[in-house]
Amino acid sequence: MNASNFVFMKMKYQKKQPAKLIQTDRVFLHELNNLIELATEAFEEYNYSKALAETQNFFWKNFTDNYIEIVKDRIYNGTDEEKASASYTLYQSLLTILKLMAPFTPYITEEIYQEKFKQFEKTESIHISDWPKPISIALHKNDDKICST
């Protein structure tokens, strides 16, 4: 709940991806796309424990320990462009992670979805929403040097 509370504390919802994503956000979304593909493949192979482990690892190590800490200053003190990029990335990331976790932790993911996301999303429940698909982002020339995969 703490991560979702932070995401929505200063976030300004925007449906469309900002015209310019900051490099940190592009690279993080690229890593999120890798997780989506990995978890989807694990589910298709009935390897649920792998899907859960990868999603939990990403949530705790990449999202909460790293990304949220990196963007805090931008959320509080950044330019409008920097805030928009961070807000979009935080929103999309948390929603995606919740969808990936929903089969394993149905009650808490539904509670967070109802409290934080339902007002912006068209679906009544996270459990009937579409499975996450990779987010369309255009990596820039040097982004691939930063990405771990």
Side-chain angles (χ1 to χ4, degrees):
M1 285 294 272
N2 287 342
S4 62
N5 287 336
F6 172 77
V7 168
F8 284 90
M9 186 171 48
K10 292 253 182 192
M11 186 203 76
K12 292 182 182 164
Y13 173 74
Q14 56 201 34
K15 185 170 179 79
K16 293 180 72 176
Q17 189 178 102
K20 182 180 180 192
L21 282 173
I22 304 298
Q23 183 180 41
T24 305
D25 303 328
R26 287 192 313 267
V27 170
F28 186 79
L29 289 172
H30 176 73
E31 294 297 321
L32 181 66
N33 285 344
N34 290 340
L35 173 66
I36 294 167
E37 291 171 1
L38 186 67
T40 301
E41 183 179 308
F43 262 92
E44 289 170 351
E45 295 172 353
Y46 304 100
N47 192 348
Y48 305 122
S49 61
K50 180 178 181 181
L52 175 60
E54 293 292 341
T55 304
Q56 285 179 324
N57 184 57
F58 186 88
F59 175 75
W60 290 114
K61 292 184 179 175
N62 296 50
F63 187 65
T64 59
D65 288 351
N66 292 314
Y67 184 71
I68 285 179
E69 295 303 322
I70 289 169
V71 299
K72 276 183 181 176
D73 185 58
R74 255 196 299 144
I75 288 292
Y76 293 122
N77 305 312
T79 65
D80 288 344
E81 183 179 81
E82 291 171 333
K83 288 178 182 179
S85 181
S87 290
Y88 175 82
T89 304
L90 285 165
Y91 181 92
Q92 295 301 324
S93 299
L94 182 59
L95 179 59
T96 297
I97 292 166
L98 284 177
K99 287 181 177 186
L100 294 173
M101 290 297 297
F104 307 106
T105 55
Y107 299 111
I108 189 66
T109 54
E110 185 66 25
E111 182 179 334
I112 294 169
Y113 182 85
Q114 292 296 319
E115 185 179 315
K116 306 291 187 184
F117 289 96
K118 185 180 174 189
Q119 63 184 321
F120 305 116
E121 300 297 315
K122 296 176 184 171
T123 309
E124 287 294 313
S125 169
I126 195 168
H127 300 293
I128 58 172
S129 65
D130 291 336
W131 186 253
K133 291 180 176 55
I135 299 165
S136 179
I137 51 168
L139 291 177
H140 293 191
K141 187 175 183 178
N142 294 324
D143 289 351
D144 61 344
K145 295 177 183 170
I146 297 170
C147 296
S148 63
T149 56

